[in-house]
Amino acid sequence: MNDATRLDVVGAARRVLDADAAGEALAEVLVVAGEAAGRRLLLFEDGRRTGTLGDRGLEDAAAALGARVLAEGGTAEERVVVASGDEVVLFAAAHRPADRMIVVGAGHIAVPLADLGVRLGFEVTVLDDREEFATPERFDAAVRVMRADFEGDPFANVRLDGRSYVALVTRGHRWDFDCLRRLVAVGARPRYIGMIGSRRRVRAAFHALLEAGVPRAVLAGIRAPIGLEVGAETPTEIAVSIAAEMIAVRRGVEIESLTSRERVLDRLLPENEESNG
């Protein structure tokens, strides 16, 4: 549904802020020269439009320009000839909420990973159930550090959606598995889910989740063992491998083209083993 209300600067700013709070991306297209100068149109990712430029053809051109900057990011300018024969200049800018990195576990890997997340433009949250580890002083000032209940709902106060990137790097496999099980149970579909652990532990975790009724397709999207296979050993190296994997997912790069790794579900748990236990 489209809203043809004419938007002023304040009204447009409010809509942009509301969209950011709701986790929605949009493009703002402004007429900077020619007929309807000063008018603007907002285009949302789902195709909704807000605002009017007073000319249907011009609005369609503005929507196409907005869709382009939404796909590519940044800004763009375009000259359009309207029905009257006059030339109009459109300027479009993409407004995207920051992707969110949720680091579950505040140990040695979490510190460099959270720091990298901030540098990469993520809105970073670190969760841990230990008071001595869940302290803001251990992390970059831009990182939100929260106490969480790993035995209950660790994600109770965290937003999880298609802009979320979740790294499960707790102090023990039990907690990684419990948090993963909770994450799957609530039906959240983050853009990225990665779990640390040896191949043996990952295989056992996937077996347990399959037996609990979790669809194979859901497990196929989990990156485990977490991170790109670059021979990482130190906490910082492991953090870099995780961040690199998140970047690849964010940019739409096929992970398997970067490494020889097959999907963990196929490599560690072939389909013909599911029925054998």
Side-chain angles (χ1 to χ4, degrees):
M1 183 175 181
N2 297 328
D3 178 359
T5 303
R6 182 170 178 176
L7 289 172
D8 58 15
V9 175
V10 174
R14 286 175 177 165
R15 298 293 182 97
V16 171
L17 290 174
D18 288 345
D20 185 75
E24 294 182 297
L26 60 81
E28 181 177 7
V29 186
L30 174 67
V31 181
V32 295
E35 290 184 15
R39 292 195 178 191
R40 66 197 71 225
L41 186 77
L42 302 182
L43 177 76
F44 293 81
E45 281 186 305
D46 62 4
R48 285 179 295 126
R49 302 180 189 178
T50 297
T52 178
L53 304 182
D55 179 276
R56 181 59 183 270
L58 182 59
E59 288 177 0
D60 288 343
L65 180 62
R68 194 174 89 209
V69 299
L70 271 178
E72 300 173 358
T75 62
E77 186 175 293
E78 187 173 287
R79 297 179 181 275
V80 178
V81 177
V82 296
S84 65
D86 291 337
E87 186 177 73
V88 172
V89 180
L90 300 174
F91 176 80
H95 298 276
R96 287 188 170 277
D99 291 329
R100 292 177 294 279
M101 178 188 291
I102 298 99
V103 183
V104 186
H108 299 306
I109 295 172
V111 175
L113 179 57
D115 182 64
L116 284 169
V118 171
R119 293 171 182 269
L120 292 170
F122 286 95
E123 180 184 286
V124 183
T125 298
V126 176
L127 307 175
D128 205 293
D129 61 346
R130 299 167 293 175
E131 184 176 358
E132 67 272 25
F133 280 81
T135 58
E137 294 77 18
R138 298 180 61 242
F139 295 90
D140 186 285
V143 175
R144 182 174 65 153
V145 183
M146 300 173 59
R147 289 283 301 279
D149 180 7
F150 285 177
E151 293 185 344
D153 183 1
F155 305 104
N157 299 307
V158 178
R159 180 174 187 157
L160 296 170
D161 57 23
R163 297 192 188 280
S164 303
Y165 293 67
V166 181
L168 302 171
V169 289
T170 74
R171 64 186 180 278
H173 179 67
R174 170 196 168 185
W175 306 112
D176 292 322
F177 175 72
D178 285 349
C179 290
L180 176 60
R181 182 172 56 184
R182 179 64 186 177
L183 190 60
V184 171
V186 298
R189 292 294 176 265
R191 179 80 180 275
Y192 173 98
I193 301 174
M195 185 178 70
I196 201 166
S198 67
R199 288 172 173 80
R200 179 179 62 81
R201 291 188 181 277
V202 169
R203 179 187 175 97
F206 279 20
H207 261 304
L209 291 171
L210 282 169
E211 290 175 357
V214 176
R216 185 182 180 90
V218 172
L219 296 182
I222 297 169
R223 311 285 175 173
I226 197 170
L228 296 184
E229 292 186 347
V230 295
E233 295 182 359
T234 69
T236 299
E237 289 175 346
I238 294 170
V240 169
S241 75
I242 296 169
E245 189 170 53
M246 289 183 177
I247 292 169
V249 170
R250 182 161 68 174
R251 299 303 183 193
V253 175
E254 182 60 34
I255 300 294
E256 285 72 22
S257 68
L258 299 179
T259 73
S260 61
R261 183 175 73 182
E262 300 172 294
R263 288 188 180 276
V264 67
L265 201 58
D266 296 328
R267 184 183 62 192
L268 303 181
L269 197 61
E271 288 192 58
N272 61 10
E273 287 192 21
E274 288 183 37
S275 59
N276 298 330

